[in-house]
Amino acid sequence: MKNLLYTLLLIGSVSFAQDGYSLKPEAYTQIKSKVLQLDSLSAADLANSIAQAAETDYKLLKAEQEDSHLNYYYVPASLSEEAFNEALEMGCTSCLVVYFDVYDTGIRFNNVAGDYEDLFAVWKTEFLPSVTAELAESSFKYRDVKDKDTGVNLRFSNNGAPWEIRNNTY
């Protein structure tokens, strides 16, 4: 009997440890409402929140809507006025860009691209507060936030040069 109880406790603790996120069910609902069915104000709020959570101090360069896409471009706040104006006219290479898709039913966060340090800070602040840099670097598990019940599906990954946080929530 003692062995059976010990085995059940061990199995329970192992299955709990596999979650790892320590997110409460309502956190998934909050994440879903943060990335889906947005209006123009809540999309701007999310873009600004992402830029503010980054390690680099950013300021808004421009917001641009073209067809079914809405993009927010942020440049380092330390950029000179001349470099800022050049980025405004010619585009920028050091931008943090937050991408949204625009539908008849609302606006949906698509992804944000940037360097690892900036996006890790965003990932931790906006989506997975319990993650540490060590966990994110050592385990892909901590670069995904998924929940079948709510349809939340976000990924922090490096698909080439810039890192990105991509939203696949449905």
Side-chain angles (χ1 to χ4, degrees), residues 22-77:
S22 301
L23 289 179
K24 295 179 179 173
E26 58 269 13
Y28 292 108
T29 304
Q30 290 172 349
I31 290 170
K32 186 171 184 172
S33 68
K34 185 185 293 190
V35 299
L36 291 183
Q37 302 300 320
L38 306 173
D39 58 23
S40 58
L41 291 175
S42 55
D45 286 345
L46 178 58
N48 288 329
S49 181
I50 286 171
Q52 289 171 357
E55 283 290 312
T56 303
D57 185 22
Y58 285 105
K59 65 180 177 182
L60 182 64
L61 174 67
K62 65 181 176 177
E64 185 174 80
Q65 183 169 355
E66 190 174 306
D67 298 326
S68 60
H69 301 288
L70 173 62
N71 304 326
Y72 289 83
Y73 297 85
Y74 295 87
V75 294

Side-chain angles (χ1 to χ4, degrees), residues 101-133:
D101 296 322
V102 179
Y103 299 99
D104 292 336
T105 57
I107 300 171
R108 177 186 177 277
F109 168 67
N110 184 317
N111 74 311
V112 56
D115 68 19
Y116 175 83
E117 289 79 17
D118 284 336
L119 292 190
F120 174 76
V122 170
W123 184 245
K124 182 173 180 64
T125 302
E126 295 291 332
F127 303 111
L128 193 56
S130 62
V131 73
T132 64

